Structure formats: structure tokens, C-alpha cells
Amino acid sequence: MSTYYLNYLEELESEAIFILREVWAQFQNPVILFSGGKDSILVTHLAKKAFHPAKIPFALMHVDTGHNFPEAIQFRDDIVEKLGVNLIVGSVQKSIDDGRVAEEKGKNATRNALQITTLLDTIEEHKIDCAIGGGRRDEEKARAKERFFSHRDEFGQWDPKNQRPELWNLLNGKYFEGEHFRAFPISNWTEMDVWNYLTKENIEIPSLYLAHEREVVKRNGSWIPNSEYLVLEPNEEIVKKKIRFRTLGDITITGGIESDADTMEKIVEEVSTMRETERGNRSDDKRSETAMEDRKKDGYF
Amino acid sequence: MKIDKNQLLRFTTAGSVDDGKSTLIGRLLFDSKSIFEDQLAAVENSSKQKGIDGVDLAMFTDGLKDEREQGITIDVAYRYFTTPKRKFIIADTPGHIQYTRNMVTGASTANAAVVLIDARHGVIEQTKRHTFIASLLNIPHIIVCINKMDLVDYSEETFNSIVEQFEEFSSKLLIKDVRYIPISALNGDNVVNRSEHMSWFQGSPMLHELETLHISSDINKVDARFPVQTVLRPQRKGYEDYRGYAGRIASGIYRVGDEVSVLPSGFNSKIKTINAGEKEVEEAFAPMSVAMTLQDDIDISRGDMIVKVNNQPELSQEFDVMLCWLNNSPVKPRTKYTIMHTSNEQKAVIKDVVYKMDVNTFKRNEEDKDLKMNDIARVKLKTSHRLMLDSYRDNRNTGSIILVDESTKETVAAGMIV
Ligand SMILES: Nc1nc2c(ncn2[C@@H]2O[C@H](COP(=O)(O)OP(=O)(O)OP(=O)(O)O)[C@@H](O)[C@H]2O)c(=O)[nH]1
Ligand SMILES: [Mg+2]
């Protein structure tokens, strides 16, 4: 009987499905945080498997910075329609218009941190008690500290110094009124695992992940895509390059890389030789040593 | 789907504060070329700011602001790396006694533990506490790394005397497999590469040991246990009568047609279908997540367990567990805790503290009945309903419990069924 083993991708898949089902069983009103990026697509795909033949029992929730890759929005709308799930959109633009937050000023202004308020407001408004994220521990050093079930207090805050112990597969999702949880079913997946799995399962992803000719500008060492929100600095110029994106965030700050990888197989090949982490091109993480931890403490994804 | 070994090894670090656990993991990642350039640049930069020349290897896992300021690990960091031989999930845990609960968190799912000992200090109380916890958690393999050999002139005698100390106390524990390696995490001796300073050491460097550990018995393949997480009732055409019991197989193997018993009710039926995701399969085994349907209409809900008719767990409301108390506030007498066991949840009270364990001497103290943070004790539990129990030694998944204090919602204790 000693031949009954799973390969590691199957083991990770099984773990993620277990967590998704546990969320469904323990919470009243959970949602999947859906950005249109590969990790949230993966989580959604795993949810489909977890509840088959029933429909995915979660709504998808998108925190819309207003600075989107158009392809990512199209992709979001298509998947919502195909799966027949509800879509909840929290709009950063609306938070700004309502005076909940103020736009950052200056050259490196982004709407990244503004998302926190919109996210927490939307969670409160829809009485969401668990938001399922595609965060992975290998992404970033503060994320490396996350539990599968991660408690947020009534202010939406994470307290990394005082997390609940999480033993074996016994997940404690208990909370007081007004508090909520974040759940991270793909905590143990690496970027490589994600690509291998997406390829193996033939999962559709936005074309932004594949190399194409794109208009870009070099800024802080990475290739920022041209968009209606881009304000050129005097010494900057728009050029055409064969570019793909390793992560999809706010279009104004997500840098692409030069690449020839225009198929899934080539991406897997390329990722395996990569010398920089995927978030290395995101200026939101470069702001300070503890940028991610600080944002997460405030309630960020 | 059939392969002949586990590809994934989960291991944890253990040992007292400052014995070099995080430095070792940093060294392991660095020397196995698993650090990305931007991570290295960031750590170099932070090291410089702290006035350290070169890189502070511990910073590859100590990622929180407070950890870096205090130079200690506070909570588990998970790191991942792959060699041509294996894929690893590392849990780097804190040595400080105050954060023992986080050490237990990291160790609870490990197949192997790397216990560090500072060569200058030898075996100390915290070494014993962590080793004892590792043995309670039934971690099958322990690699004892005697670290900072550079500070004791790479002395073989020092190494041998610490090995002796360790053997002396660990002989009282149930540990199946212990190995010893003299290392310098700081300089990389015997971590990934063989040391040039300790030619007297005949064994292999740590990475080689981790790559070749034989992990076979970590999942019980004999006793079939399937705790039901949730029931799938699709509101969809063609599936009107579908009633799927979803869960992750805790142990054993299930096949279509198997005669099964549903606990605690005790009704019998046969497995009609098994689904792994969208695929229908003929057989499924631990740790697969599946959905089963049965031939008969039986009332089944979350917390029930589907087992084989001829191999059943014990149904009981009163049983003994080894309990690790993990919360700042001590046990409150007569309090009703929530007990979580597989997908089941009931009320529980601690009827009696049979004995407390002195982790320094491994003596049992039958007089002291107060359980405080970090205490380990054998207790008698009574639950509001019967649970489907196996001993932890036989089955990690169906032999483990946690207690939750409903007045704070916190997980306050971890228990292993005796
Ligand atoms: N000389 C020498 N120093 C070492 C060695 N390994 C670790 N150290 C030093 O020991 C100190 C503590 O190392 P850490 O890796 O942070 O210890 P730790 O076990 O992770 O500590 P906690 O996580 O807080 O329990 C640091 O200053 C390290 O540089 C070694 O092999 N030789
Ligand atoms: Mg440490």
C-alpha cells in the first residue's frame, strides 16, 4: 500500500480545497477577493473544484483602484458570467469622491494604500466575515508569517505579534461581532507551483502574463506600461518592447519584464530561471523595509 | 497518480533562543541558491543599517519589524525551497519561551525537526522543552545540529559530550530517529557543504540528510477515516438528488462499493461515487480532498465521520489527552471550552489534571493541578457528545484536538489523545 502518495501539486491542491471548504463551513458570508491576477484566478478555480458539482458559494469581491489593466477587468467580468457568481465591487474612486480618503500627491503617488479603506468599508457594508485572498507566504517576508485563518480586529487590523496558534488542520474561525477573518488557501504555494499548476490544468489567464509588444516607459528600473493615467516625466520616453507582467496590480505601478515567453510552457521555463522575486518590480513594496507589514497591519490584503 | 514516495518534506526548527535557528535557515537558503537577488539586496541593506558587515542571515526569515529590532524570532516564518531531490516547506520557529505557542504551530505539521544547540551551552531547559514537544507531536525524525562549532574550535570532544547529554535525556522520550551534526550556521560548515574544519565528522551535511530522510509512516494508510466537512447540495438541473459529503480523507483508502459506517449514528451504507474535483474516481486516499455519495439516504452533516464497517474509531465522551496550554491566562476551573476535533465541535471540560510534566527532569508532578501558559499535562476531558477518537500515536489527524475559550475566541490549548 506504500504507493499511495500524492505528488506535491496534488497535495497543495488538496490542502487549498480543504481550507476553502472550511471557510464555507465556518463563516456566514465569505467572499473571494478577486483582482484578476493569477493567484485569485487560481483560488477561484480551486473553489470550483472544492464545491463541484455545486456552484461556487462565494461572491467575488474586487477592490477597484480605477487604475486597471483593461484586460484584467474584461477577464473579471467574463469569469463572473461564466461561473454565475455575484460580483461585489469596492471602488477607490468612490472612496475618494465620498471624502473617505485623499489621493496621494507627488511623483510616486499611487492608489495602493487607499485600497485599504475601500476594502474595509466594503467588508463592513456587505457584512463580510471572511475574505479569501490569494496571498502566498513566499511572496514577501511579512506574508511569510500569515496563518491560513488570519484574524482581523474590529478595525480590520492584523496583529502579527499576537496571532492565534494554528495547529494541525484545526482552523479556529471564531470571532466577535464586527471582526472578520482573512483566509489564505494557497499560502504554501510558490510562484513556480502556481505556474506549473495553471499550465497543468490549462487554466485561462489574462494575456498580460504572456509576452507581447507593449508601450512602456522605464521608471525606477522597471518597465511601466503606457496608460491613460501615465504622466511622463521630462526625461522619460515611451518605447515598444516585448513585455510580460509577473504580477498584476495597479497599472500605474506594476512593472513588466522584458521577455519572449508567449506560451504557458515558456513562462514555466522562464520563472524557473528567474533571479528576482515577482514583487521585485512593484514600487508599492519598495517604499520601505516594512511597507507590506505596515499596510497589512492596517488591513491590506 | 501513484508515485512511490513523498515529494514534499515539511520540517521545523527548534531549540532555545539565539541558538542560531534563523541563521541556519538563512544559510541553507543562501548556499542552496534559493535566495533571489532583490531579497539579498534588501537584506544586505538592512544589515548595513544595523551596523552588521555582510549579511545577517537570520533576516531572511525574521521579516517583522519587531523581530529585526529585537534580533529574535517572534512568529513562525514559512519558507520554501526545492532541490533536484525534494521540495521543502520550512517552518522557522521562535526559541523564546514566551512564544512557545508559535513553535508548536510550526511543529504540528512537520515530518522532521531540526533541533539546534549552542555548542558553548549544551543542552538547556528550552532544548528539552522543544524536544519533548517534538516527541509529543510524534515528529518521526529529529536532526540535532550542534551549532556555533566555530566558537569552540570545532572540538570533537565538545560535540561528543553534547551528543551524550542529548542521548541521556532523550532516551526517556519516544523518538524514532535521531541524528547529530556539528555545524556552524554562520559560516556554513556542514549545512549544505561539508566542513573543512571538522574532518573528524563522518556523517553528511544537513541538507543531504534532509534530502534522503525516508518519510513513509507520516500518514496512516490503514485506518480509513473521513470526517465530513460540509454537504454539497447543488441547486442545479441534473443534480436534484445529489448529496455529496465533502472532506479531506484523514487516513486510509476508500473505494467505490466499500461498506461504510456513518458515525456517530452508526448507520451503514455503501460508497456510490467518489469525486476528486470534477473527476470521478474509483478510489481515493489520504490526504485527498474528495466528495462521496452513498447508496442510501442517511442524515449526515458536518462533524460526522464516514469509516469502514470493519475498522472503527472509539466513540467516547471521556478520554485522556496530553495537553499543552498555550494561552496567557491559566486554566479556569469548571470552564466549558469548545473542543475542535476533525470537523467536529463540542463543549468540553477538564475533569482532572492527572499530572504535570516537569520538562527539565521529565518527572511527573501529581500534586500541582494549576495549568498555566506553556505547561504540559495529562488531563481527563469530558465532552458534551461522543467524539470519534483515535490515539494521536496512531493517527495525527483524528488524534489531535484544540480547545477554544469562547469568552475570548482564542485557541488556548492543543491536545494529543492518549
Ligand atoms: N559564531 C557563530 N554565531 C552564530 C552561529 N549561528 C548563529 N550565530 C549568531 O547567533 C545569534 C542568534 O542567531 P539567530 O539565528 O537569530 O538565533 P535563533 O535561534 O533564530 O533565535 P530565536 O529565533 O530568537 O529563538 C546571531 O547573532 C547569529 O549571528 C554560528 O554558527 N557561529
Ligand atoms: Mg530565529
Side-chain angles (χ1 to χ4, degrees), chain B residues 119-371:
Chain B
R120 296 169 301 173
H121 307 147
V123 171
I124 56 176
E125 175 168 329
Q126 193 66 346
T127 321
K128 294 185 188 173
R129 176 176 280 108
H130 279 186
T131 308
F132 184 56
I133 291 172
S135 81
L136 275 183
L137 288 170
N138 209 12
I139 297 177
H141 306 279
I142 294 200
I143 300 178
V144 180
C145 288
I146 294 148
N147 188 30
K148 310 198 186 182
M149 290 300 291
D150 54 303
L151 299 180
V152 295
D153 286 334
Y154 305 100
S155 149
E156 186 176 8
E157 287 85 75
T158 308
F159 173 75
N160 286 338
S161 96
I162 294 172
V163 169
E164 221 169 279
Q165 287 170 27
F166 195 92
E167 302 248 273
E168 211 256 318
F169 89 86
S170 66
S171 62
K172 298 174 196 135
L173 307 174
L174 279 169
I175 306 174
K176 291 173 201 139
D177 173 28
V178 189
R179 309 149 195 235
Y180 303 89
I181 311 176
I183 67 166
S184 167
L186 193 67
N187 302 328
D189 293 73
N190 287 338
V191 179
V192 171
N193 305 310
R194 182 171 288 285
S195 170
E196 289 169 10
H197 299 103
M198 292 176 276
S199 51
W200 49 263
F201 179 66
Q202 302 299 314
S204 319
M206 186 182 77
L207 179 60
H208 181 80
E209 294 284 358
L210 289 169
E211 284 182 325
T212 52
L213 277 183
H214 185 67
I215 37 170
S216 55
S217 56
D218 53 333
I219 290 179
N220 177 329
K221 296 274 155 68
V222 180
D223 309 311
R225 305 283 185 262
F226 182 67
V228 175
Q229 271 185 287
T230 181
V231 181
L232 303 177
R233 307 268 351 230
Q235 314 292 318
R236 236 170 96 175
K237 243 183 121 90
Y239 288 100
E240 288 81 1
D241 296 325
Y242 183 93
R243 196 190 275 247
Y245 307 107
R248 179 155 62 160
I249 300 174
S251 56
I253 300 164
Y254 288 85
R255 291 186 185 86
V256 172
D258 278 353
E259 288 200 46
V260 292
S261 223
V262 180
L263 301 177
S265 68
F267 287 113
N268 291 352
S269 184
K270 277 187 180 169
I271 298 178
K272 191 160 112 192
T273 62
I274 305 176
N275 259 87
E278 284 128 343
K279 267 200 320 267
E280 237 182 90
V281 294
E282 278 302 303
E283 64 175 5
F285 51 90
M288 284 169 71
S289 283
V290 297
M292 289 182 194
T293 60
L294 301 184
Q295 283 182 357
D296 305 276
D297 236 338
I298 303 175
D299 177 17
I300 301 177
S301 50
R302 176 173 167 85
D304 290 350
M305 193 184 278
I306 298 175
V307 303
K308 301 277 184 77
V309 171
N310 57 8
N311 178 332
Q312 305 210 3
E314 191 187 326
L315 265 84
S316 174
Q317 258 176 285
E318 277 183 74
F319 49 93
D320 281 19
V321 304
M322 288 302 292
L323 201 69
C324 302
W325 196 258
L326 304 172
N327 202 260
N328 280 319
S329 55
V331 171
K332 291 170 269 180
R334 293 189 308 281
T335 302
K336 293 181 189 64
Y337 294 98
T338 295
I339 183 169
M340 296 180 78
H341 169 254
T342 66
S343 54
N344 200 349
E345 211 180 292
Q346 306 291 346
K347 294 285 171 232
V349 287
I350 299 171
K351 295 293 277 186
D352 185 27
V353 176
V354 185
Y355 60 80
K356 258 169 74 169
M357 206 63 193
D358 182 325
V359 291
N360 227 341
T361 59
F362 296 122
K363 289 220 170 71
R364 297 169 177 188
N365 182 341
E366 293 171 19
E367 311 304 315
D368 183 1
K369 303 278 180 188
D370 296 327
L371 286 189

Side-chain angles (χ1 to χ4, degrees), chain B residues 63-79:
Chain B
L64 298 175
K65 186 156 79 191
D66 288 296
E67 293 180 326
R68 290 180 168 198
E69 272 167 22
Q70 298 172 42
I72 61 166
T73 305
I74 292 172
D75 208 337
V76 200
Y78 294 93
R79 294 301 308 253

Side-chain angles (χ1 to χ4, degrees), chain A residues 29 36 51-52 74 111 125 131 137 185 193 212 221 237 245 281:
Chain A
N29 191 23
F51 298 98
H52 175 85
Q74 186 60 47
R111 289 184 166 183
E125 182 193 338
R137 290 166 177 162
D193 300 334
H212 283 287
E237 89 180 293
F245 297 91
N281 278 313

